[in-house]
Amino acid sequence: MIYATRRATFNAAHRLFRAELSDEENLQIFGKCSNPNWHGHNYILEVVIAGNIDKTTGFLIDLKVLRDIIDENVISKVDHKNLNLETEFLKNKIPTTENIAVGIWQQLVNKIPAGHLYSVKLYETENNYIEYKGEEN
Amino acid sequence: MIYATRRATFNAAHRLFRAELSDEENLQIFGKCSNPNWHGHNYILEVVIAGNIDKTTGFLIDLKVLRDIIDENVISKVDHKNLNLETEFLKNKIPTTENIAVGIWQQLVNKIPAGHLYSVKLYETENNYIEYKGEEN
Amino acid sequence: MIYATRRATFNAAHRLFRAELSDEENLQIFGKCSNPNWHGHNYILEVVIAGNIDKTTGFLIDLKVLRDIIDENVISKVDHKNLNLETEFLKNKIPTTENIAVGIWQQLVNKIPAGHLYSVKLYETENNYIEYKGEEN
Amino acid sequence: MIYATRRATFNAAHRLFRAELSDEENLQIFGKCSNPNWHGHNYILEVVIAGNIDKTTGFLIDLKVLRDIIDENVISKVDHKNLNLETEFLKNKIPTTENIAVGIWQQLVNKIPAGHLYSVKLYETENNYIEYKGEEN
Amino acid sequence: MIYATRRATFNAAHRLFRAELSDEENLQIFGKCSNPNWHGHNYILEVVIAGNIDKTTGFLIDLKVLRDIIDENVISKVDHKNLNLETEFLKNKIPTTENIAVGIWQQLVNKIPAGHLYSVKLYETENNYIEYKGEEN
Amino acid sequence: MIYATRRATFNAAHRLFRAELSDEENLQIFGKCSNPNWHGHNYILEVVIAGNIDKTTGFLIDLKVLRDIIDENVISKVDHKNLNLETEFLKNKIPTTENIAVGIWQQLVNKIPAGHLYSVKLYETENNYIEYKGEEN
């Protein structure tokens, strides 16, 4: 068993809020992240695959193949997008880093051709990041 | 003569476009950065002051004072903001990294209490950054 | 189950030594880290919380709340301090990165309002870091 | 139980290929990494030791001792080397990051004087890294 | 006048040596960098353009255009290559970071469509980098 | 003319204060950096040499030679030291980053065997750094 990580980046706008609350109530819960005019981030994504080394290639998974899977299933849906308005897999979700990470997990979990998805790590800023391993509580 | 740099960060949404053009024309010029639904970045700002060392303190400038000047004159106006809609000093400007850097220069140039503003460096992503030194062409 | 990390930094002085040994004996065990005149570091701290996502906020824990808890319970006690002389929670401990990390764990473990403390990671230099997860041996 | 990490770096050349295949076949499997004229990387290695804190030193393991063990058993065998031609522990292996990481594990696992080897992390580029924990599949 | 920087990376093998000298003589001058079996690096390249902001776009230069120019004129000639054997613009040069940086300058200096080439910065390792600004001595 | 940079690091303790002032007065000027019990930093030093490329080696300066010069003339005098008490070249100086950078310049300026010293850059934290180029005001 070995773990292979591929890093990717994307830039997106978002707003943290619940539609049924007023701007003032959202401000109280989400602070300046609830700005109705949006703000945004350079997100850094790390996708970790666990599995065995293929003896004929020496790879767990060809990381260029993994890169293309991440591009098609995640990056194309979030890069230079408004995560609240344009990202189908976040529809009706508050686009917190937690919810984005879980959404990315669900986009990828059935698309991995070798080994299996082990972890999704998502950095929102240099000080904050979320990791999700598909664990049920 | 010595150079002192203070780093700061902010997160913002923006859109690159010219109001008099159609979405298609803007897409042709600005690519996915012209997304009408916005996108965003974690900007990294470096402000460089040039001047002499004050013999009584050993400082060119107290960097905590510089931090507060940057917070008041720049960060409070751009952090968690929509740069097109909410940042007065970018009004009627396309918020490219170039124009943001020049705008930040203008916010700071007359506010430096020791030495003088030498350079503003602004990173939009890990691959792209702009430096402005107040030079006329 | 998801994992949320908050990064913080502090600068401190310390000395690795045992009071009952001579300077020469301490030098043999701790090398230049036993300098009786102290030396210091920019420490980087990562605090990881594990738990479930709150459906009403989309957060595991509000990371600004976590930041304030870390500031109050850790940073205020170590930043710009002498860890041997001034940090109560390291009293009678050799302030190795290991002991500082365990001490930080103990400061935080009962203060986490959502989820639970999962890990404390402490970087002493760019080449050395310690992780503690509260595991008994 | 605590985890101590030591980082090290090395620069090496390699080629991904299987000797029984043609250059064209290798190109199809390994892409430009199969260039018969070699290419190379700045590898970053992180070695993680797990164990208990020694009460008399406050260390899990003296990281300067660990550095010397890594230098002698790993760095001296890979730094400024051709991993295909010159690194004994990779003989008859395709020097993928996966195989290098497993090879480094085997070089180190019996040489750790305090605690035990927990993980070997190896970064090939800023976007790709492998972790190996000695787990049998 | 403003300065725009685009970062790119490439991985390559090289050997520092002069063909007219013996391996022993080359070892004396170039140390382990003269290994006849090659070694390699992850190079980081920063290309800086100086010029004025185009009022209609707010750009000094479209950094995606600059990226493509760098890819075509530099990266395609050095990435996953042996710099001694395969890079035309380094023919008969010792591929030190200095000579690679000057060679990259010469590849780019006449290809910049807006503003002019100001500087080429090339990192060979995290501890060593070279900057060239086209200055004659 | 080309510029070659070598990076080095050191860890040290210091205190910002003037001996003729009270602790209260020093606190007012220097804030928590005046803690009488010291604090410390991981300093990052970048030394830049300017000069011409030696045709026979392709080097401006052998960076391993430069490393040894920096080690002997700077690092040995500051690493794991108390900069106020133990560093001769800072005697009677307030060890601000500015004064340390100028002191390092003076240690190195006459010791460079090829080209000449162009700049000393000193990072005190990830947010603050000083550059000195030997310019008289």
Side-chain angles (χ1 to χ4, degrees), chain A residues 38-106:
Chain A
W38 320 99
H39 68 287
H41 296 288
N42 300 343
Y43 290 92
I44 301 174
L45 170 64
E46 291 186 359
V47 174
V48 189
I49 308 301
N52 297 312
I53 300 178
D54 177 330
K55 291 263 165 58
T56 62
T57 61
F59 290 144
L60 159 46
I61 183 172
D62 184 335
L63 287 176
K64 283 188 294 298
V65 170
L66 180 56
R67 178 199 60 198
D68 292 345
I69 292 168
I70 297 169
D71 276 354
E72 184 189 334
N73 293 283
V74 179
I75 303 301
S76 68
K77 299 172 180 174
V78 291
D79 190 34
H80 285 76
K81 301 289 188 200
N82 184 308
L83 300 177
N84 298 71
L85 303 180
E86 299 180 296
T87 301
E88 189 67 29
F89 72 76
L90 293 171
K91 195 149 250 178
N92 301 319
K93 299 248 169 72
I94 307 170
T96 57
T97 320
E98 286 88 337
N99 280 336
I100 307 171
V102 172
I104 290 173
W105 173 279
Q106 292 165 344

Side-chain angles (χ1 to χ4, degrees), chain E residues 28-31 98, chain F residues 59-67 114:
Chain E
Q28 208 153 4
I29 298 172
F30 297 107
E98 286 89 336
Chain F
F59 289 145
L60 159 47
I61 182 172
D62 184 334
L63 287 175
K64 283 188 293 296
V65 170
L66 180 56
R67 178 198 60 199

Side-chain angles (χ1 to χ4, degrees), chain F residues 111-125:
Chain F
K111 306 284 170 37
I112 306 302
H116 62 274
L117 185 60
Y118 175 75
S119 160
V120 165
K121 246 186 189 177
L122 187 63
Y123 292 76
E124 193 187 61
T125 71

Side-chain angles (χ1 to χ4, degrees), chain B residues 4-8 45-49 62-64 66-68 70-71 121, chain F residues 125-129:
Chain B
T5 299
R6 177 76 194 175
R7 195 180 82 109
L45 170 65
E46 291 185 359
V47 174
V48 189
I49 307 301
D62 183 334
L63 287 175
K64 282 187 295 296
L66 180 57
R67 179 198 62 198
D68 292 344
I70 297 170
D71 276 354
K121 247 186 187 176
Chain F
T125 71
E126 64 189 16
N127 291 326
N128 298 340
Y129 67 88

Side-chain angles (χ1 to χ4, degrees), chain B residues 35-127:
Chain B
N35 182 350
N37 288 315
W38 320 99
H39 69 287
H41 296 288
N42 300 343
Y43 290 92
I44 301 174
L45 170 65
E46 291 185 359
V47 174
V48 189
I49 307 301
N52 297 311
I53 300 178
D54 177 331
K55 292 262 166 60
T56 62
T57 62
F59 290 145
L60 159 46
I61 183 172
D62 183 334
L63 287 175
K64 282 187 295 296
V65 169
L66 180 57
R67 179 198 62 198
D68 292 344
I69 291 168
I70 297 170
D71 276 354
E72 184 189 334
N73 292 283
V74 179
I75 302 303
S76 68
K77 299 172 181 175
V78 292
D79 189 35
H80 285 76
K81 301 289 187 197
N82 184 308
L83 301 178
N84 298 70
L85 303 179
E86 298 179 298
T87 302
E88 189 67 30
F89 72 77
L90 293 170
K91 195 148 248 179
N92 300 319
K93 299 246 168 74
I94 307 169
T96 58
T97 320
E98 286 89 336
N99 281 335
I100 307 170
V102 172
I104 290 173
W105 173 279
Q106 291 164 344
Q107 294 303 301
L108 291 173
V109 67
N110 294 320
K111 307 282 171 38
I112 306 302
H116 63 274
L117 186 59
Y118 175 76
S119 160
V120 165
K121 247 186 187 176
L122 187 65
Y123 293 77
E124 194 188 61
T125 70
E126 64 188 15
N127 292 326

Side-chain angles (χ1 to χ4, degrees), chain F residues 48-60:
Chain F
V48 189
I49 307 301
N52 298 309
I53 300 178
D54 177 331
K55 292 263 165 58
T56 62
T57 62
F59 289 145
L60 159 47

Side-chain angles (χ1 to χ4, degrees), chain F:
Chain F
M1 182 76 102
I2 203 161
Y3 303 82
T5 299
R6 175 76 194 175
R7 194 180 81 110
T9 62
F10 61 93
N11 312 317
H14 75 157
R15 179 194 175 192
L16 302 188
F17 78 113
R18 290 167 55 205
E20 70 273 26
L21 301 181
S22 69
D23 281 5
E24 290 69 32
E25 290 168 310
N26 279 308
L27 185 66
Q28 208 153 2
I29 299 173
F30 297 107
K32 53 190 178 178
C33 296
S34 70
N35 181 350
N37 288 315
W38 320 99
H39 68 287
H41 296 287
N42 299 344
Y43 290 93
I44 302 174
L45 171 64
E46 292 185 359
V47 175
V48 189
I49 307 301
N52 298 309
I53 300 178
D54 177 331
K55 292 263 165 58
T56 62
T57 62
F59 289 145
L60 159 47
I61 182 172
D62 184 334
L63 287 175
K64 283 188 293 296
V65 170
L66 180 56
R67 178 198 60 199
D68 292 344
I69 291 168
I70 297 170
D71 276 354
E72 184 189 335
N73 292 283
V74 179
I75 302 303
S76 68
K77 298 172 180 173
V78 293
D79 189 35
H80 285 77
K81 301 290 187 197
N82 184 308
L83 301 177
N84 299 71
L85 303 180
E86 299 180 296
T87 302
E88 189 68 28
F89 72 77
L90 292 170
K91 196 147 248 178
N92 300 319
K93 299 247 168 73
I94 307 170
T96 57
T97 320
E98 286 88 334
N99 280 335
I100 307 171
V102 172
I104 290 173
W105 173 280
Q106 291 164 345
Q107 294 303 301
L108 290 174
V109 67
N110 294 322
K111 306 284 170 37
I112 306 302
H116 62 274
L117 185 60
Y118 175 75
S119 160
V120 165
K121 246 186 189 177
L122 187 63
Y123 292 76
E124 193 187 61
T125 71
E126 64 189 16
N127 291 326
N128 298 340
Y129 67 88
I130 293 291
E131 185 171 19
Y132 181 60
K133 300 182 181 178
E135 296 166 306
E136 305 286 324
N137 58 306

